Every structure is written in structure tokens, then in C-alpha cells.
Amino acid sequence: MIQRLTQLFPLWALLFSLLAWWQPQWLVGGKPAIVPLLMLIMFGMGLSLTWADFQGVLKRPALIGLGVVLQYALMPLLAFLIGSAMQLPTELLAGLVLVGACPGGTASNVIAYLARANVALSVAITFASTLVAVVATPLLTWLYLGERIAVPVSGMLLSLVQIVVVPVVLGCLLNTFLQRQLTPIRELFPLVSVAAIVLVIGIIVALNAGRISEAGLLVVIAVMLHNGLGLLSGYSIARLLRHDTVTARTLAIEVGMQNSGLGVALAIKHFTPLAALPGALFSVWHNLSGSLLATVWHKQSNSEQ
């Protein structure tokens, strides 16, 4: 029963998104719950890991570097090419490129967990890309847009430690020393995580309902293409480099899913509210596309076992 409900993740995400868009006032008050819900998901993620998982990842620093390089090399370039080819207005092009120039976000770690990808690698790449953002995000924004921006990396790192590192390490510690005793809780957590991320997606949709309603079809298509090509490129390049499917899935998720919340904040601060629209749409869309992908890959993992 639990597994069946978990496998319906994309359906719950879509239905809740539609509900949030129709009646945003029901969920906008839930904004303060986003961080605790993400911490709960990360704790459950930690319960699925042991120290051996992280030790294995840290022995392969080149793989972490590959994820970071692919993310910063592909996503801003794809954004610029898509926006230019579709002849988006300058402000929307700036917003799309800005999202592409941002590091990975917590959503990628959640999707990696639900997709049965390499969670330890996902967390390591997200952390590394956030560290690199102090140089990469301003440099890439200047390169593509000719605009110099300030990136609040210290605040981002503090949030990452609070939302990701501490809950994951706590869950990992408990699982390392109490693995057998925690089996019933560990089996229940995928469903808890699905319920939590569906609620988070609903709150994000509600908070952006006005922008979604104002968005033209062209910018929606641009955001979908940006995310989709990022996922596809990350997976394809990993496979071309002869990495296994689990690693390829992890790299696809890390490349295709951005810290779009940061993109929105930077767009409002350094450009215009209109430039924040691609980031707001990306926040909604990459959660929906990620949930669908997680379900497909989760089923494939089950069939391969």
C-alpha cells in the first residue's frame, strides 16, 4: 500500500499544484513550513544512508567535479541559446540565464532520494556547486549578460548546512548505529517524503500563482526546454563517459535542477520583477518534471533488482 501511494507521486504533485493555483490563499500561509518540511525529508534521506556511502563518494572527487562543471557549463549556455532562439525579451532572457548560472538546490537532493539515485553524490555536488557559486554565478552572468551581480554565498551555505547537511548527517548517524531498529521507520519515510514534497510544491505554486497566470506560453516553453535539456544532457554525457545508470541519473538531476529561488532573488535585486518570472516558473516546473522522473527511475530500479 505504501509503495503504491509513493508511486503515484507525480499525480499527487500535479493535483496539488492545480489546487494551489486555483485556490492559492489556502496554501500561501504555509510558506514558513517549507524549511521544516525540507529538513524532515532530508532526515529521512539520511536514514537511507551510512557513512560508507559518503566515504565512497569522497574517494571519487573527480565525479563531484564533473557534476559541478557540467552544471555551470551547460545550464547558462542552454538558457542563452534557448532564450535567443525564441527571441525572448531582454528581461526574460536575463532571468533564464540567471537561473542557469545558479548552483544546485535542495530539490535535486530530494528527487535523487526518491529516484533511487546516488544521494550522497547528489548532496556532495550541491554543496560543491554552492561553494563555487561565489565565483561562477557572477562570472557567468557577466559573460552572458554583461551585468555584474553579488551572490550571497555565505547565507546560501548557512541555509544548505541547516536544511541539508545537519538533517542528513543526523539521519545517517542514527542509521549507522541503529540500522536494524530503525527498519520500520525507514520503510515508512519514502511516503512521508512524498507527502512533504507534494505539500512544498503546492506552497511554491500558491506563492507564484500570480506570476504563473501572467506568464506567456513562450516563457513557459523556454523554462520547460531549459530544464528538460539540462536533464537530458547531464544523463547523456554521463553515459557517454561510461558511468553507470545510477550515477548518470544523479548527474542528470544535479545538472537539470537549479537553485531557482536564488535566481528569483537575484533577478529582483539586480534586474526587474519581470526577470524573476523564469525563476518562479522554474521553481514549479522542475519539481513537477523531477517528480515524474523520480517515479520512472524508481520503478526501473525496482525492475532491475
Side-chain angles (χ1 to χ4, degrees), residues 25-98:
Q25 70 275 12
W26 293 355
L27 289 169
V28 287
K31 184 179 179 181
I34 291 178
V35 168
L37 286 169
L38 287 173
M39 291 175 70
L40 176 66
I41 297 165
M42 296 300 160
F43 175 73
M45 189 185 300
L47 287 178
S48 71
L49 299 170
T50 64
W51 284 121
D53 295 315
F54 282 104
Q55 287 171 348
V57 166
L58 294 176
K59 287 176 182 176
R60 303 171 70 190
L63 198 54
I64 299 172
L66 175 63
V68 174
V69 168
L70 286 178
Q71 183 174 54
Y72 283 120
L74 289 173
M75 291 305 279
L77 177 61
L78 287 171
F80 184 77
L81 292 176
I82 291 166
S84 299
M86 297 180 72
Q87 298 182 329
L88 290 180
T90 304
E91 291 168 300
L92 293 177
L93 174 63
L96 197 64
V97 169
L98 198 50

Side-chain angles (χ1 to χ4, degrees), residues 149-167:
I149 65 169
V151 180
V153 172
S154 57
M156 287 160 53
L157 285 173
L158 188 63
S159 296
L160 193 62
V161 169
Q162 176 194 357
I163 297 170
V164 178
V165 177
V166 171

Side-chain angles (χ1 to χ4, degrees), residues 242-257:
R242 300 186 181 280
H243 290 293
D244 59 82
T245 53
V246 172
T247 300
R249 290 168 184 172
T250 309
L251 289 173
I253 291 165
E254 285 303 312
V255 172
M257 300 187 70

Side-chain angles (χ1 to χ4, degrees), residues 9 41-42 45 106-117 119 122 197 201 231 249 253 257 286-295 297:
F9 176 28
I41 297 165
M42 296 300 160
M45 189 185 300
T106 29
S108 65
N109 307 139
V110 177
I111 297 302
Y113 168 56
L114 295 172
R116 288 194 172 177
V119 174
S122 175
I197 193 62
I201 292 170
L231 293 166
R249 290 168 184 172
I253 291 165
M257 300 187 70
H286 80 161
N287 279 297
L288 291 173
S289 66
S291 66
L292 179 60
L293 206 54
T295 301
W297 281 343

